[in-house]
Amino acid sequence: PDAKMDRGLEVELATLRKEYEWMVRNDLPGMLYQLESLIKNCLLSFPGAARSLEISRPASDISASVRFVRGAHAADSYTVAPQEGDERPSPGGSSEQSLSEKGPEKPLSLQSSDGSIQARVLVTGGVRIASGKINVALVPRAHRGGAVRPPAFSTQIQAQNPLVLPQLQATVNCLDLCHVAIEDWSSAHRGFPHIPSYSSVTSVVSRLLALLARARDSLDSHGVPLPEELLGSIGVFTPAAPPELLLSFYIEGPRLVLRALLIAALSGAPTQTQRDNNSLIRPVGGLGHVFNSRERWFEVVARSEASVELPQLAATRAALVVIEQTAQRLQDKLSAFALLA
């Protein structure tokens, strides 16, 4: 009986191996090509994202060749933290005559409901504010540290020192790594002279799913910087904001948000009860929020926000869902051959 069982298992595995080989030769190339095409289109759906892409597609290739060109201002602090196995392509030349440049990019206007913030910015490359003018006039509330001069402040973001939007930069970088993973695997197995092992295929698909999850999480992450992170940081505003005024841009849903905080130094440290109450009832960065930076205590005495919807962000989020679903279907299809692991 045991011999018959072993023989039956051998026959089943042989049949499964033939089905796997057929799937690899006939289904897998098309599914990877579809996945890579969706990734490319998602990159292009970013507002002006084609400025960051260099696209070439030899007719004989199994997949499109997409390269994300990292500009001089895409600092490491704004990119996705490398994980084991991440190998980024070398920066290519700037795609000056890109698809997005076929039509002029339009400045976006942001204004808070109370009129305390008025701004006009130009988002280019899909990941950076290339230029902008910002006017802020906050009225502080009374606080424990004494009087604060309400600043009326005007500043600019200049083209030679753009502001990178880290959430978008990280998303683009993850999608780029997905493309590289597909391209490298396809190049190594072009024509399938030898059938790749089950573990080889599932490894690349698992990596794609992990990168896609990172891309989605980067876009959906709560990108509001903490006041203590902004205090004393070197910004991109010209002239620089006064130390009591903290300005930050971030993505929230489909919108670009500009937040302004007016802070005041406290004359002494808050009591433990005040600290406990602060953590319970004061949102981080909200009015009345108390925080410590470099052994000094500060209070947020005024805050305001202005936002504007970024074109194509909703489409990008929807595209990410489709890409993840496509990769998951490929993984589900492979799971039928798990006995070959």
Side-chain angles (χ1 to χ4, degrees), residues 111-118 135-142 148 150-151 222-227 230 244-248 250 252 257-264 281-291 299-307:
Q111 181 170 331
S112 60
S113 57
D114 61 0
S116 58
I117 296 179
Q118 294 183 352
N135 298 305
V136 180
L138 298 180
V139 178
R141 70 168 198 170
V148 159
H222 199 53
V224 186
L226 299 174
L230 295 172
E244 67 270 18
L245 181 62
L246 308 180
L247 300 175
S248 59
Y250 59 92
E252 189 173 75
V257 181
L258 168 58
R259 186 181 66 167
L261 300 179
L262 182 63
I263 63 171
I281 66 176
R282 305 293 187 191
V284 174
L287 193 62
H289 172 67
V290 174
F291 64 96
E299 181 181 0
V300 176
V301 295
R303 73 184 302 276
S304 187
E305 290 183 355
S307 68

Side-chain angles (χ1 to χ4, degrees), residues 8 11 14 48 103-104 125-126 134 164 172 183 192 198 240 262 290 294-295 311 341:
V11 171
I134 302 166
V164 175
V172 170
E183 187 181 58
F192 299 109
Y198 174 81
L262 182 63
V290 174
R294 299 174 186 174
E295 300 183 355

Side-chain angles (χ1 to χ4, degrees), residues 46 68 75 77-80 126-128 163-175 213-225 248-258 310 313 316-317 320:
F46 277 87
F68 175 68
S77 59
Y78 291 129
T79 61
V80 138
V127 296
R128 60 178 59 84
L163 174 65
V164 175
L165 298 168
Q167 292 157 279
L168 295 179
Q169 177 73 71
T171 297
V172 170
N173 285 358
C174 286
L175 290 172
R214 288 166 63 189
R216 173 174 39 80
D217 291 344
S218 297
L219 198 59
D220 292 338
S221 64
H222 199 53
V224 186
S248 59
F249 283 92
Y250 59 92
I251 300 298
E252 189 173 75
R255 306 184 72 81
L256 173 67
V257 181
L258 168 58
L310 274 182
L313 259 187
T316 298
R317 292 175 183 276
L320 281 173

Side-chain angles (χ1 to χ4, degrees), residues 175 178 207-216 320 323-324 327:
L175 290 172
C178 282
R207 175 162 166 72
L208 291 175
L209 283 169
L211 285 169
L212 290 170
R214 288 166 63 189
R216 173 174 39 80
L320 281 173
I323 294 171
E324 278 196 278

Side-chain angles (χ1 to χ4, degrees), residues 38-315:
L38 288 170
I39 291 171
K40 181 187 73 173
N41 290 334
C42 186
L43 284 167
L44 292 173
S45 74
F46 277 87
R51 289 173 60 89
S52 300
L53 292 174
E54 180 183 320
I55 304 174
S56 61
R57 182 189 155 94
S60 60
D61 278 1
I62 192 175
S63 58
S65 176
V66 181
R67 282 289 185 252
F68 175 68
V69 180
R70 289 166 183 82
H73 299 286
D76 289 342
S77 59
Y78 291 129
T79 61
V80 138
Q83 295 186 3
E84 185 177 355
D86 286 0
E87 293 183 2
R88 299 169 189 259
S90 300
S94 176
S95 183
E96 294 297 333
Q97 300 299 322
S98 64
L99 298 177
S100 67
E101 291 182 328
K102 291 183 179 179
E105 293 166 311
K106 297 179 180 179
L108 303 172
S109 296
L110 301 86
Q111 181 170 331
S112 60
S113 57
D114 61 0
S116 58
I117 296 179
Q118 294 183 352
R120 191 169 175 83
V121 300
L122 180 65
V123 178
T124 63
V127 296
R128 60 178 59 84
I129 298 175
S131 61
K133 295 183 178 180
I134 302 166
N135 298 305
V136 180
L138 298 180
V139 178
R141 70 168 198 170
H143 71 102
R144 294 186 292 274
V148 159
R149 175 178 58 86
F153 177 69
S154 296
T155 189
Q156 297 183 31
I157 297 173
Q158 298 181 338
Q160 62 268 30
N161 190 25
L163 174 65
V164 175
L165 298 168
Q167 292 157 279
L168 295 179
Q169 177 73 71
T171 297
V172 170
N173 285 358
C174 286
L175 290 172
D176 180 56
L177 288 172
C178 282
H179 172 267
V180 173
I182 295 175
E183 187 181 58
D184 289 350
W185 193 91
S186 299
S187 297
H189 299 89
R190 182 168 285 116
F192 299 109
H194 304 287
I195 295 297
S197 67
Y198 174 81
S199 60
S200 169
V201 180
T202 54
S203 175
V204 72
V205 175
S206 297
R207 175 162 166 72
L208 291 175
L209 283 169
L211 285 169
L212 290 170
R214 288 166 63 189
R216 173 174 39 80
D217 291 344
S218 297
L219 198 59
D220 292 338
S221 64
H222 199 53
V224 186
L226 299 174
E228 48 266 44
E229 295 173 340
L230 295 172
L231 188 62
S233 63
I234 299 175
V236 297
F237 305 106
T238 306
E244 67 270 18
L245 181 62
L246 308 180
L247 300 175
S248 59
F249 283 92
Y250 59 92
I251 300 298
E252 189 173 75
R255 306 184 72 81
L256 173 67
V257 181
L258 168 58
R259 186 181 66 167
L261 300 179
L262 182 63
I263 63 171
L266 299 179
S267 56
T271 65
Q272 187 60 50
T273 300
Q274 289 171 330
R275 296 184 200 181
D276 293 342
N277 289 340
N278 177 72
S279 63
L280 290 172
I281 66 176
R282 305 293 187 191
V284 174
L287 193 62
H289 172 67
V290 174
F291 64 96
N292 181 277
S293 177
R294 299 174 186 174
E295 300 183 355
R296 296 184 63 192
W297 286 91
F298 299 87
E299 181 181 0
V300 176
V301 295
R303 73 184 302 276
S304 187
E305 290 183 355
S307 68
V308 64
E309 187 168 332
L310 274 182
Q312 300 299 326
L313 259 187

